[in-house]
Amino acid sequence: MSYANKFSQSEFVEKIARVAKRAGAKLVYAALILFYTLQSDKISMKDKTIIVGALGYLISPLDVVPDAIPIVGLSDDLAVLIYVLKKVWTDIDPDIKERAQKKLSEWFDEEEISEIDTLFD
């Protein structure tokens, strides 16, 4: 993926912290799951490669739809994350999902977190 070279752990953390509320719990949850999955030794190198590409796209300032555009600016980022998440979902450890939900609770209230129930909708 051409965005793989855009990914770095520090830039990912910085971007998520900066856009968390504006992006919404669904995007942040998907990003966190992929980020934590990337750190797992239980995932194939092929899957890690597509995860790095998706996370690189998320933090890249060059998007199909610029992030600065209200409401729709992060929709392309969410679409890419969901696409990749669907590809690796069956290989994701339940502990990773729990870890991502725990991190969400630091940034979002319960009502906002309920968005993740419709992650693939």
Side-chain angles (χ1 to χ4, degrees):
M1 298 191 83
S2 62
Y3 286 91
N5 65 341
K6 304 285 186 205
F7 176 75
S8 78
Q9 186 169 343
S10 62
E11 288 182 44
F12 170 80
V13 172
E14 180 183 315
K15 170 96 177 211
I16 287 296
R18 189 175 66 247
V19 303
K21 283 291 190 178
R22 186 169 59 98
K26 194 182 280 193
L27 182 142
V28 174
Y29 181 63
L32 287 171
I33 288 176
L34 292 174
F35 179 69
Y36 294 143
T37 300
L38 184 62
Q39 298 169 0
S40 171
D41 59 355
K42 298 177 184 176
I43 193 105
S44 72
M45 283 305 294
K46 177 185 168 213
D47 287 345
K48 285 186 177 192
T49 300
I50 63 171
I51 290 171
V52 166
L55 295 177
Y57 184 82
L58 173 67
I59 63 176
S60 174
L62 303 174
D63 283 0
V64 172
V65 180
D67 294 347
I69 297 174
I71 302 171
V72 298
L74 293 168
S75 61
D76 61 319
D77 297 315
L78 179 59
V80 168
L81 295 177
I82 295 297
Y83 175 79
V84 171
L85 196 55
K86 282 182 177 182
K87 288 192 155 298
V88 299
W89 188 253
T90 57
D91 296 326
I92 296 174
D93 193 286
D95 291 340
I96 288 174
K97 296 172 189 173
E98 186 177 314
R99 187 174 170 197
Q101 285 183 328
K102 185 177 179 184
K103 190 66 172 173
L104 275 185
S105 67
E106 294 177 20
W107 294 325
F108 298 94
D109 62 32
E110 286 300 317
E111 185 178 330
E112 292 167 317
I113 291 173
S114 68
E115 285 181 35
I116 69 172
D117 295 337
T118 59
L119 187 62
F120 296 121
D121 294 346

